[in-house]
Amino acid sequence: MKARLAASAALALGIAIGGSGCAMITYQATTEKYDASDGVSADLGTIELRNMLVVSDDGEQGNLVVAVVNTGEDDATVEFEVVDSGERFEVDVDAGDVVSLGAGDEDPITIEDLGAEVGGLVAIYAQHSGEEGQEIQVPVLDGRLPEYEDLAP
């Protein structure tokens, strides 16, 4: 009787484990953070830069497109610098707020001396409020795609 009960319990356990799918031992791709669009992302402490890209028709002048998310409890000023040209600009972001630059109703952040090839990358250094900064390799795209045709300067 005990053997039959033990066999039934082992069989039930085997069916439960087998019926749960491979989730217990298989790699879960949904746990990986990735950039779902053409831009790149970076985290600077409590500041998150999302879908960062530059739209340019000629590689000389470009429009920086980025969503700046402040997850902190203090207002922040985010500083950007185009590494090759030294061109700088700042963006103020209130605590808990998101500022979208370069798209929609927002004024574009025009980089006058981009010096990058369309289809290539441009190095942009970003930093805020005394946090350690980060150099980000940002893709340079043109207006051939419908979603970017109105974003080129």
Side-chain angles (χ1 to χ4, degrees), residues 57-82:
D57 282 334
D58 57 8
E60 294 303 317
Q61 189 180 45
N63 174 23
L64 178 66
V65 178
V66 61
V68 182
V69 182
N70 184 348
T71 61
E73 296 184 12
D74 296 320
D75 296 349
T77 298
V78 183
E79 301 164 1
F80 295 93
E81 179 181 349
V82 180

Side-chain angles (χ1 to χ4, degrees), residues 28-103:
Q28 297 295 308
T30 56
T31 62
E32 291 294 319
K33 180 178 162 186
Y34 70 98
D35 296 311
S37 188
D38 298 322
V40 296
S41 297
D43 293 333
L44 309 170
T46 59
I47 296 294
E48 300 173 356
L49 305 175
R50 297 292 178 250
N51 197 32
M52 189 172 180
L53 57 96
V54 175
V55 181
S56 174
D57 282 334
D58 57 8
E60 294 303 317
Q61 189 180 45
N63 174 23
L64 178 66
V65 178
V66 61
V68 182
V69 182
N70 184 348
T71 61
E73 296 184 12
D74 296 320
D75 296 349
T77 298
V78 183
E79 301 164 1
F80 295 93
E81 179 181 349
V82 180
V83 173
D84 289 340
S85 70
E87 191 172 346
R88 296 176 181 222
F89 48 93
E90 296 180 345
V91 176
D92 294 322
V93 186
D94 294 335
D97 201 6
V98 178
V99 175
S100 295
L101 303 174

Side-chain angles (χ1 to χ4, degrees), residues 14-26:
I15 290 173
I17 290 174
S20 67
C22 299
M24 291 175 55
I25 57 173
T26 302

